[in-house]
Amino acid sequence: MIPGAAILYAVICTGVIAFQFCLIAGAPWGRLTQGGQHAGALPASGRVIAAISVPLLVFMAASSLSAADIWLHWPRWTSWTALGIQSLSTLLNWITPSRPERLLWAPVTSVMLALVLLVNFA
């Protein structure tokens, strides 16, 4: 179960990374991210935040794969760090004032949290 959970987590992270790249490129999805404060494309500051999230998501996916002994051999604390970041992300997506963002990302990040919990505790 752990390898499957880690792989699925990494696949979902890859999808979120693709979403971030679309935001960086100017996709008009501002209502679906960062509190939904922008109706269209994100301003430069929002795109920088999206760009920062890309290596963070890569780290989280890789640390999960490492914890499941699939790829890399990182210290175990990396997967616990990913769990902490994922927990915070899930919380923020459940409490965001943006209803469209909450409807899209709260379920996605909740599934991601369940997967990383499986990797870390199973």
Side-chain angles (χ1 to χ4, degrees):
M1 181 63 161
I2 293 173
I7 291 168
L8 184 54
Y9 182 75
V11 167
I12 296 171
C13 282
T14 302
V16 178
I17 289 168
F19 177 81
Q20 298 300 330
F21 277 125
C22 289
L23 292 171
I24 294 164
W29 301 336
R31 288 278 180 230
L32 299 175
T33 189
Q34 300 177 20
Q37 298 174 6
H38 305 283
L42 294 175
S45 61
R47 292 177 192 202
V48 168
I49 292 168
I52 291 169
S53 71
V54 170
L56 188 61
L57 285 158
V58 170
F59 163 80
M60 292 164 62
S63 67
S64 180
L65 293 171
S66 176
D69 290 325
I70 296 172
W71 185 56
L72 304 170
H73 297 288
W74 287 357
R76 188 71 174 155
W77 65 263
T78 61
S79 66
W80 292 105
T81 302
L83 173 61
I85 295 167
Q86 188 61 61
S87 298
L88 179 61
S89 174
T90 302
L91 173 65
L92 293 175
N93 279 288
W94 276 105
I95 65 171
T96 180
S98 169
R99 187 170 192 270
E101 180 181 8
R102 190 171 48 254
L103 289 174
L104 173 63
W105 291 113
V108 171
T109 57
S110 294
V111 168
M112 293 173 76
L113 178 59
L115 291 168
V116 79
L117 281 166
L118 279 172
V119 170
N120 280 293
F121 286 105

